[in-house]
Amino acid sequence: MSYEYIGITVLWLFLYGYLIVASIDFGAGFFAYYAKLTKQDHIINKLISRYLSPVWEVTNVFFVFFFVGLVGFFPDTAYYFGQSLLVPGSIAIVLLAIRGSFYAFESYGSKDNHVYMFLYGATGLLIPASLATAMTISEGGFIEETANGVHLMIGKLLTSPYSWSVVLLAIVSVLYISSTFLTYYAHRADDEPALDIVRKYALFWSSPTIIASLTTFIALSQHNFDHFQKAIELWWVFGLSVAFFMIGLFLIYQGKYYGWAFIAVMFQFFFAFFGYGASHLPYIIKPFVTITSGATNETMGITLIIAFIGGLLLLVPSLIMLMRMFLFDADYVQGKK
Amino acid sequence: MFFEDSVLMSRLLTFLTLGFHVIFATVGVGIPIMISIAEGIGIKKKDPHYTLLARRWTRGLTITVAVGVVTGTAIGLQLSLLWPSFMKLAGNVISLPLFMEVFAFFFEAIFLGAYLYTWDRFKNPIYHWLLSIPVVIGSTLSAFFITTVNAFMNAPQGFETEGDKLIAVDPFAAMFNPATPTKVAHVISSSYLTSAAILATIAAFIMLVRKSTIYHKKALKLTVAATFIFAVATAVAGDSSAKYLAEYQPEKLAAGEWHFETEKNADLIIFGTLNENNEVENAIRIPGALSFLAHGDFNAPVEGLNETPEDERPPLWIHYMFDFMVMIGFYLVGISFLFLIFWKMKRWNEYNRWLLTGLAAVGPLAMLAIEFGWIFAEVGRQPWILRGFMTVAEGATTSPHVGLMFLLFLGLYIVLGTGCLVVLRKIFKNNPAELELESRYPHVKESDKE
């Protein structure tokens, strides 16, 4: 396998990692605000902040990792994304900033502030939507290159059924992933009332997730038939995704093995995400950047991969330590530490 | 109107984001080491005063780190959003340190989360203290890596050009360019210095407006001693930076020093004004000192700005930035040294009001020096974004919306800055150290000997 493919696989893994950890976070924000509106916040908000406070910075790094890695492995993407995404990108940064500061600020009182809770909930939905836009744009047809540089065709983006179905899919997936995780976490914490609420969320958001996945597929066939066809060739990958969806949903419905249910949800998105990514190739940004034309030179590519392996040797044990401290330590989860 | 000028607005927006970020980045690099020292002393001496210091500093750090992380994410993305052509070109050469910086940050993030939420979790406090070590390493390493990127922009090397493409890339040569050693040393030492100084300011300020307790006296001694050590280290690193400039970037030193003609035994010019013929007036001159600063020899020749083509010269106002930075540096060394002398001379009272007032100023001054020094370093390499290869104008985005984005981010930083101040006040105002000491360590009495 050449270094470009290793590079894109690594990046895709990190983006997938971000998809999972950030979804938990973003969805939790929405649920926290919803619980406040329905006066159930005293039941679940403690649970949410107990998990999220120690890990929010780590969540953020997954994202930084992805975009720094993308620019590193494929510097041309910096040019096309940078030129076309100034406005949506800046808005996403502002939303992320409001949200990121929340964790530090909330421990000291802003939790009771209605406006801040609203922003916290709203950003949980707006950030995935705005980040999904970058995905949409990479399909081609939304940016043009003229003599004055590269521009985003905002009007086309806003009227495209495909872009809206991606946004919808992003939002409902976030809520589904988050609620299944919280179900697992509430179960770990032996917190029956919270479990009861978040389990209902999980069951509720399952059907929009699968419906939105299908409509996105249909919209993709309208927007970018080549990509659609490549995806069809990988039908078994998407088939696996649907199978894991059924397993996850079944386990949650049964009310047992919530840990396995969440792992099934992770596999569901893993296969969907990798199927999408694999069928997107060779284009990174259609039609301007392909995986070979946009890659950095070979020396740098190989050095980056070596650095990456070195970094992982350091990170994986540390991440395991963090998870054992805050995720799998029953006493901590139950609030005894 | 200048608002529509995307190059100028890109520069201003980058300045705004980095100028704001540098405040939080600096304390993010320096405060962990102070916390680690305080907690270490607390464990070794079994002295809860120091442990409480570490605890309270950590609480403040949480807030500043949060703002540092989100503004750091902002500048990370803005690099591509505002300077797409630059990133497309330089991305081939600087990806490695950028990537490594994220690793270091990741490492720090993991252990910071663990450190913050496990204060009372271990029977043996050493385990908790051990968690602070990777935080210090991670934050210092990320400063190291990101500074090598900036050093590369000042002294690009490790590649060859073929048309508009970069070939024969050597990532390590790019990372360890001639500017790297001095820049890294100066950035890290001044971050430690500024953090120690800010903590010293807090202790001195409380002793001035409230009462001096043993807790605050210990805090002051620890932080001022650290300030002195780091200030000396910063001065040494600053001196080697000047020698680096004289050799590799003479136009920056010449513009910073208003040194136009190449000459031997060059004078150092402090403050002053320029008339329309670029002649220096109203300045303090120290004969031969610039030659000494640049080459360690009063008679060495120093290259003047006139050797640099006119369109490649940095603006001359950076002279003031340089002077302010150096002056504050001297003040920090001086006042902290004075305190140490008073402390060691048993007959003098090191807590007299004059000295405390002088010490209360060190934190804000050090932070100002960081900003001045950074502006000097960055504006001093104008008009280049990659010295000798790409100008700032060639690297900027062509998007017409940068002006609006500037306003958007200005609003964001006002909100974040205010939020940060409000929350920090809330944490400490109604919870003075004495109360917390009493409730947490009831066996310690104020009257306990030092």
Side-chain angles (χ1 to χ4, degrees):
Chain A
M1 198 152 78
S2 62
Y3 73 94
E4 299 98 350
Y5 281 91
I6 301 178
I8 195 77
T9 311
V10 164
L11 291 177
W12 214 238
L13 266 175
F14 266 87
L15 195 58
Y16 168 74
Y18 183 65
L19 178 98
I20 298 293
V21 291
S23 292
I24 295 172
D25 173 6
F26 295 145
F30 176 79
F31 292 133
Y33 183 67
Y34 179 75
K36 196 176 174 76
L37 282 186
T38 53
K39 305 233 182 312
Q40 291 175 317
D41 44 339
H42 57 284
I43 306 177
I44 65 167
N45 283 9
K46 210 177 191 129
L47 185 83
I48 290 175
S49 73
R50 224 173 154 69
Y51 164 71
L52 287 176
S53 304
V55 300
W56 76 265
E57 224 189 322
V58 175
T59 307
N60 203 56
V61 187
F62 270 97
F63 178 53
V64 178
F65 209 112
F66 173 72
F67 71 71
V68 170
L70 184 70
V71 173
F73 276 106
F74 306 99
D76 281 9
T77 57
Y79 180 73
Y80 287 98
F81 273 139
Q83 282 280 15
S84 52
L85 288 181
L86 178 68
V87 178
S90 298
I91 293 172
I93 298 172
V94 171
L95 294 173
L96 280 169
I98 291 174
R99 186 177 191 81
S101 58
F102 178 85
Y103 288 103
F105 293 1
E106 67 109 47
S107 351
Y108 303 100
S110 57
K111 208 178 331 198
D112 313 319
N113 184 327
H114 205 82
V115 177
Y116 219 118
M117 282 305 286
F118 170 74
L119 282 176
Y120 179 56
T123 52
L125 299 186
L126 290 174
I127 294 171
S130 69
L131 294 182
T133 308
M135 253 344 165
T136 316
I137 286 168
S138 73
E139 284 302 327
F142 299 112
I143 45 181
E144 58 179 353
E145 190 165 21
T146 63
N148 303 327
V150 178
H151 301 285
L152 179 64
M153 295 182 275
I154 279 277
K156 230 176 182 171
L157 186 70
L158 290 181
T159 52
S160 153
Y162 176 66
S163 74
W164 285 108
S165 58
V166 170
V167 167
L168 190 71
L169 178 62
I171 291 175
V172 294
S173 308
V174 159
L175 295 173
Y176 184 57
I177 294 172
S178 183
S179 55
T180 52
F181 175 81
L182 290 175
T183 306
Y184 162 67
Y185 202 68
H187 179 67
R188 288 276 314 177
D190 267 336
D191 189 342
E192 282 300 326
L195 175 65
D196 200 42
I197 296 174
V198 288
R199 182 172 163 269
K200 275 190 198 129
Y201 293 162
L203 292 173
F204 178 83
W205 287 108
S206 62
S207 38
T209 304
I210 205 74
I211 293 170
S213 311
L214 285 175
T215 49
T216 306
F217 244 102
I218 296 165
L220 179 67
S221 72
Q222 307 286 317
H223 180 78
N224 181 346
F225 192 73
D226 285 352
H227 186 174
F228 176 74
Q229 219 154 23
K230 284 212 193 88
I232 293 294
E233 282 165 25
L234 287 173
W235 62 271
W236 58 275
V237 179
F238 296 97
L240 277 173
S241 172
V242 175
F244 277 109
F245 168 75
M246 310 276 252
I247 296 172
L249 186 60
F250 176 73
L251 291 177
I252 292 170
Y253 183 74
Q254 289 279 302
K256 263 187 272 179
Y257 307 115
Y258 291 115
W260 289 108
F262 183 66
I263 288 173
V265 170
M266 280 173 65
F267 272 115
Q268 172 198 339
F269 282 90
F270 180 86
F271 285 113
F273 196 66
F274 271 76
Y276 168 80
S279 53
H280 196 293
L281 291 178
Y283 289 109
I284 294 180
I285 305 173
K286 196 179 175 176
F288 304 105
V289 186
T290 70
I291 182 161
T292 40
S293 79
T296 183
N297 60 81
E298 197 170 344
T299 337
M300 183 52 98
I302 289 167
T303 320
L304 283 180
I305 289 168
I306 295 170
F308 176 76
I309 294 167
L312 273 194
L313 290 179
L314 203 66
L315 282 187
V316 170
S318 327
L319 270 175
I320 291 174
M321 178 208 76
L322 193 73
M323 292 209 279
R324 288 179 65 147
M325 273 179 172
F326 299 108
L327 189 55
F328 299 117
D329 186 318
D331 283 347
Y332 175 81
V333 179
Q334 290 166 17
K336 289 178 195 152
K337 270 188 187 168
Chain B
M1 215 185 96
F2 77 93
F3 205 66
E4 328 263 278
D5 178 352
S6 59
V7 176
L8 181 65
M9 289 316 291
S10 293
R11 287 181 62 191
L12 285 178
L13 179 49
T14 309
F15 167 74
L16 180 72
T17 302
L18 273 174
F20 190 69
H21 176 64
V22 82
I23 299 173
F24 300 93
T26 302
V27 299
V29 170
I31 292 196
I33 194 171
M34 295 301 295
I35 291 173
S36 184
I37 292 173
E39 195 189 4
I41 297 178
I43 294 172
K44 189 145 188 289
K45 288 191 173 174
K46 296 200 168 41
D47 183 340
H49 285 117
Y50 289 100
T51 315
L52 186 66
L53 261 184
R55 272 190 111 110
R56 288 172 68 89
W57 288 345
T58 305
R59 240 172 283 154
L61 179 72
T62 322
I63 308 300
T64 56
V65 161
V67 182
V69 168
V70 297
T71 51
T73 309
I75 190 63
L77 275 166
Q78 277 179 355
L79 271 183
S80 296
L81 294 175
L82 297 174
W83 310 99
S85 306
F86 163 71
M87 284 305 283
K88 182 183 172 177
L89 183 77
N92 286 296
V93 195
I94 54 169
S95 320
L96 181 68
L98 280 176
F99 205 59
M100 303 278 279
E101 198 261 352
V102 185
F103 267 121
F105 171 43
F106 212 144
F107 193 59
E108 181 198 346
I110 290 174
F111 282 93
L112 188 65
Y115 184 81
L116 291 178
Y117 293 89
T118 54
W119 269 97
D120 295 314
R121 214 160 156 184
F122 304 104
K123 276 210 180 73
N124 186 346
I126 289 279
Y127 291 119
H128 184 256
W129 177 75
L130 284 176
L131 287 173
S132 73
I133 306 285
V135 179
V136 172
I137 295 175
S139 60
T140 303
L141 274 183
S142 46
F144 167 78
F145 287 120
I146 207 65
T147 308
T148 66
V149 174
N150 183 271
F152 170 80
M153 293 161 83
N154 280 278
Q157 66 167 37
F159 60 91
E160 283 163 33
T161 47
E162 192 184 77
D164 61 349
K165 268 192 135 55
L166 301 185
I167 53 161
V169 169
D170 178 350
F172 292 97
M175 227 170 113
F176 297 98
N177 57 69
T180 295
T182 50
K183 257 192 190 285
V184 165
H186 201 44
V187 163
I188 293 178
S189 57
S190 61
S191 299
Y192 288 178
L193 162 63
T194 305
S195 308
I198 286 174
L199 299 173
T201 288
I202 296 172
F205 182 75
I206 291 177
M207 290 171 76
L208 275 175
V209 297
R210 289 221 293 273
K211 56 175 185 175
S212 309
T213 62
I214 302 235
Y215 172 83
H216 291 113
K217 285 179 180 170
K218 284 180 180 167
L220 193 70
K221 279 180 178 165
L222 175 64
T223 52
V224 177
T227 302
F228 176 72
I229 294 168
F230 294 141
V232 171
T234 307
V236 172
D239 181 61
S240 19
S241 299
K243 292 185 169 46
Y244 157 78
L245 285 184
E247 195 171 340
Y248 292 93
Q249 266 180 296
E251 76 279 5
K252 191 191 272 188
L253 186 69
E257 275 306 320
W258 286 352
H259 181 65
F260 297 99
E261 300 291 336
T262 302
E263 59 183 5
K264 286 181 178 178
N265 191 20
D267 297 352
L268 186 72
I269 293 170
I270 300 172
F271 291 106
T273 51
L274 281 178
N275 66 17
E276 58 270 29
N277 301 323
N278 271 355
E279 281 153 3
V280 182
E281 292 168 348
N282 312 319
I284 309 167
R285 284 176 172 269
I286 307 180
L290 182 60
S291 290
F292 187 75
L293 185 71
H295 300 289
D297 171 2
F298 283 102
N299 273 317
V302 180
E303 188 183 314
L305 194 58
N306 291 346
E307 314 287 326
T308 308
E310 211 154 325
D311 58 344
E312 291 178 16
R313 288 183 198 166
L316 291 170
W317 57 263
I318 59 170
H319 171 65
Y320 297 111
M321 298 288 116
F322 186 76
D323 278 1
F324 282 132
M325 171 186 76
V326 173
M327 229 179 49
I328 292 173
F330 276 108
Y331 175 78
L332 296 179
V333 174
I335 189 118
S336 55
F337 187 59
L338 208 60
F339 177 85
L340 296 184
I341 290 184
F342 270 57
W343 170 13
K344 293 298 170 195
M345 295 286 173
K346 290 288 173 208
R347 277 177 301 145
W348 295 336
N349 174 19
E350 68 266 32
Y351 306 113
N352 73 65
R353 291 196 75 79
W354 290 108
L355 205 47
L356 284 182
T357 312
L359 286 170
V362 292
L365 281 177
M367 192 53 88
L368 274 179
I370 292 271
E371 297 277 357
F372 290 145
W374 167 66
I375 293 171
F376 166 70
E378 294 306 296
V379 181
R381 72 177 148 97
Q382 292 300 310
W384 301 108
I385 193 164
L386 262 184
R387 182 176 178 272
F389 289 95
M390 186 185 237
T391 63
V392 165
E394 290 162 345
T397 180
T398 53
S399 167
H401 306 296
V402 189
L404 273 177
M405 294 304 111
F406 180 85
L407 295 180
L408 179 73
F409 280 99
L410 185 64
L412 173 70
Y413 300 144
I414 291 174
V415 170
L416 286 181
T418 326
C420 185
L421 287 178
V422 169
V423 174
L424 281 176
R425 230 178 88 95
K426 217 174 191 169
I427 299 176
F428 293 109
K429 199 187 160 211
N430 296 320
N431 184 21
E434 304 83 70
L435 275 182
E436 198 179 340
L437 198 66
E438 230 175 78
S439 64
R440 222 182 261 284
Y441 308 102
H443 56 283
V444 182
K445 297 224 174 57
E446 254 318 300
S447 56
D448 276 5
K449 278 307 287 173
E450 283 167 62

